[in-house]
Amino acid sequence: MGNEGSSLSKEQDYEVDTSVESYQVKLWEIQRANRQDGSHVSIFHLKSQDNTDKKIIKETAERGIMNMKVLRHPSILRFMSSYKDSNGLCLVTEPVIPLVEVLDVMGSHETIAGLYDIVEALQFLHDKVHMCHNNICLSSVFVSQDGSWKLGGLECMTKFSEKIPPSCKNFRDENCLAPEELGGKSKSKMFAHASDCYAFGLLCESLADGLTELGGDDLQSFETLITNGLLNEDFKVRPSFSDIINHQTFQNDYVDIKQFLKHITLKTEIQKAAFFRSLRQRLTGLPSDLVAHMVPPLLSRFVLLNLHAVEHFIPHIMTPQSG
């Protein structure tokens, strides 16, 4: 966690490109934009609400911005700045697009890798920060330039010991609510993860039709996880995200390679040496389109300047694949 970025930006610091029409939520609208140095960003503009108290809107948006400023994780949407323009509050983040905009062109392995990113973010929130997201749904997930999924929509987050503020009711996706919440049942802190788990299960279920490329056993195992685990009516039975992250669905070379490159700065030299010695062989076993998606992180400065990569991997980058 950390507090990076500035809240002193001004509207003049950005050149707005286009609006993202596919993003339909109650609180924000998104625009693609460029900074003065030419780098890309996304700008979330606070929507005007006709039937909602302006104070509630402002407090909810500011809560989300504060959470994003404080909670730093590679799988959480990265705060860059915030400012006020003539229409109200604006949030500036790393350049992303809503997941809903790219679902039609996303393959099974990319979807599983993306879901792993979200599991990783929720494991961090639950195990390290002891907070619930409370609004896991399609509109809370974004895709960054390197294809990673990012968890956003942090406006309704609460500590395990807190109740969800009534003001959040207008801004949560009604379809992501767990049955115990709809029934007014209370849970102890031991099961505080269960509502997010159920909402994540609904997200997985909504994406399941796009996972046909998975093998029969992997697909069946994932469907069992969703039905018997994540969406179990008994919240005491739902798994924690520490358990979910180790599920066999996420144990494959594509996810493993992406995650290692994502966290390469945290790896030891021994881990890097082992990774780069086996990387070429592991990549040859993946479909070419998946390898193509990994080109940006494979050519990052953290890879190109690593001695183990220079010795074992980089000399083979331009070698054509046989067969």
Side-chain angles (χ1 to χ4, degrees), residues 25 41 52 59 65 107 116 154 161 190 194-195 241 281 284 290:
V25 298
V41 296
T52 307
E59 289 177 350
I65 291 174
Y116 185 97
L154 309 184
S161 58
M190 182 183 299
S195 295
F241 284 94
Q281 185 63 36
T284 59
L290 293 184

Side-chain angles (χ1 to χ4, degrees), residues 41-70:
V41 296
S42 290
I43 299 181
F44 290 69
H45 289 267
L46 191 61
K47 284 184 176 180
S48 59
Q49 308 279 341
D50 295 332
N51 301 319
T52 307
D53 189 300
K54 290 185 178 180
K55 182 180 178 182
I56 292 177
I57 297 171
K58 182 173 180 291
E59 289 177 350
T60 303
E62 289 178 342
R63 187 189 308 119
I65 291 174
M66 181 55 65
N67 286 333
M68 192 174 292
K69 289 174 71 173
V70 173

Side-chain angles (χ1 to χ4, degrees), residues 97 99 102-118 141-150 207 210-214 222 249-250 252-255 258-259 262 286-294:
I97 55 177
L99 174 60
V102 293
L103 275 180
D104 290 344
V105 297
M106 194 162 287
S108 299
H109 292 89
E110 295 168 275
T111 299
I112 291 298
L115 287 171
Y116 185 97
D117 289 332
I118 303 305
V141 182
F142 303 86
V143 181
S144 65
Q145 290 181 313
D146 68 357
S148 298
W149 290 17
K150 306 284 181 152
L207 301 176
L211 300 178
T212 54
E213 297 171 12
L214 295 181
F222 187 57
T249 303
F250 302 115
N252 61 69
D253 278 339
Y254 182 62
V255 170
K258 284 199 68 175
Q259 290 301 314
K262 183 177 179 179
L286 294 175
S288 57
D289 60 326
L290 293 184
V291 176
H293 293 149
M294 287 190 283

